Amino acid sequence: MVRYLRVADAVQIRVAACAVTVAWSLLNAAATLSAQDPVEQGREIFQTTCAVCHTIGGGNLVGPDLQGVTERRDEDWIIRFVQHSTEVVESGDSVAVALFEQFYRVPMPDQPLTDEQIRAVLAYTQTDAAVTAAAPEPLPEATAEQILLGQALFQGHTRFTNGGPTCNSCHEVTNDAVIGGGLLARDLTTVFSRLGGPGVRAVVGSSPYPVMQRAYLENPLTDDEVVALVGFLKKADEEQAFHQPRDYGPKLFGAGVAGTLVLFVSCSLVWNGRKRGSVNQAIFDRQVRST
């Protein structure tokens, strides 16, 4: 019994020691985070959260360029908008509504950032290093083969390497070489004109939209697939004037009428030798004659 008590005491001591170690580690991490330079903290947050949609001095992407944002907007307004953008837009705020309309009525997802974290990002946007670091890399020009690959990927003739859903399951592009797409999301015919190369690459490569994020979370696109899709969308935008928008209504109506006529003719031919007149009438006539 004494031996078991000693073992139990030893286990409790070890558990207590582990708890103290974990608590000490958490305190050190919290102290490190609080002691971290706000600009450095802002840089990390910007790179992991904001860079998909925004640049600092590199021009508009999915959202506005953040260079000089503290000079254009009040800090309290920025914090509220970042944390609750949809709510601000729905409140009728003129600036928020104008941004919503300017960037194609695509709402900015509400960000789970604290006031201090947003202030850290704002501090980072005011540094010269941020402007240099945030400049987008030149977009590689897609080859003819890559553009054809992008076309095939868009409509599902070629599957994505990691098995993601095809683009035209939700999107449409006016291009005679591509079959009609879905209407669940925006038409992408002029997306290159609207967002530019860096913006399109940002959306395709690391989408900020929740639905696309979930769809490709475990099925990310490869770099080659991103280049191919961007190249195809650029070509579709440039050649949109030479392609006609699809209008399936008259064609579907005509096909329905033709199919109905074929069905009626086929039924008439199959049933051409059918018995005419009432079977009961023939029985009645025979009974009358026999009486």
Side-chain angles (χ1 to χ4, degrees):
M1 178 65 71
V2 174
R3 179 183 177 187
Y4 289 141
L5 289 175
R6 288 177 178 175
V7 171
D9 290 341
V11 171
Q12 290 178 356
I13 291 172
R14 290 181 181 179
V15 170
C18 290
V20 170
T21 302
V22 171
W24 182 256
S25 299
L26 292 175
L27 288 173
N28 283 337
T32 301
L33 183 61
S34 61
Q36 186 180 21
D37 178 47
V39 172
E40 178 60 22
Q41 184 184 9
R43 184 191 68 80
E44 293 179 2
I45 296 172
F46 179 85
Q47 293 297 333
T48 57
T49 305
C50 313
V52 173
C53 297
H54 301 277
T55 70
I56 304 173
N60 294 339
L61 285 180
V62 182
D65 187 333
L66 298 184
Q67 185 178 27
V69 66
T70 55
E71 300 172 2
R72 301 192 302 270
R73 308 283 181 258
D74 179 74
E75 183 180 275
D76 291 339
W77 185 93
I78 295 173
I79 292 174
R80 183 176 173 228
F81 185 78
V82 171
Q83 294 173 339
H84 309 287
S85 63
T86 302
E87 178 183 304
V88 177
V89 172
E90 291 178 350
S91 71
D93 182 277
S94 59
V95 176
V97 172
L99 286 172
F100 180 68
E101 296 292 339
Q102 179 183 355
F103 290 92
Y104 317 107
R105 303 182 63 80
V106 176
M108 173 182 171
D110 295 346
Q111 301 299 319
L113 300 175
T114 66
D115 294 4
E116 292 305 317
Q117 288 175 322
I118 297 173
R119 290 191 180 97
V121 174
L122 295 178
Y124 173 65
T125 64
Q126 299 176 58
T127 64
D128 293 336
V131 177
T132 303
E137 299 178 0
L139 189 69
E141 194 70 25
T143 64
E145 291 77 11
Q146 288 175 316
I147 292 174
L148 289 176
L149 172 61
Q151 176 181 310
L153 290 170
F154 185 90
Q155 58 186 334
H157 289 175
T158 299
R159 292 299 305 274
F160 288 115
T161 301
N162 294 319
T166 58
C167 305
N168 74 339
S169 58
C170 295
H171 297 279
E172 164 79 353
V173 164
T174 302
N175 189 289
D176 296 339
V178 178
I179 61 175
L183 301 176
L184 297 178
R186 291 183 64 91
D187 186 311
L188 298 182
T189 305
T190 59
V191 67
F192 212 90
S193 296
R194 299 197 308 266
L195 301 182
V200 175
R201 179 176 58 177
V203 172
V204 173
S206 182
S207 177
Y209 308 130
V211 174
M212 287 186 66
Q213 286 177 347
R214 288 193 294 270
Y216 295 98
L217 179 62
E218 298 179 357
N219 314 98
L221 305 185
T222 66
D223 293 340
D224 290 339
E225 290 169 343
V226 172
V227 172
L229 283 172
V230 172
F232 165 68
L233 291 173
K234 180 181 180 182
K235 182 179 180 182
D237 195 328
E238 293 172 345
E239 297 181 350
Q240 59 171 307
F242 303 103
H243 300 273
Q244 295 298 321
R246 299 179 185 87
D247 186 0
Y248 295 114
K251 293 181 180 179
L252 288 175
F253 178 78
V257 172
T260 302
L261 292 176
V262 170
L263 180 63
F264 284 157
V265 171
S266 299
C267 291
S268 299
L269 293 176
V270 171
W271 294 337
N272 188 46
R274 71 188 184 280
K275 183 177 179 62
R276 292 174 172 79
S278 172
V279 175
N280 293 333
Q281 183 65 43
I283 296 173
F284 177 78
D285 291 341
R286 285 199 303 269
Q287 291 176 340
V288 170
R289 287 194 298 268
S290 63
T291 57

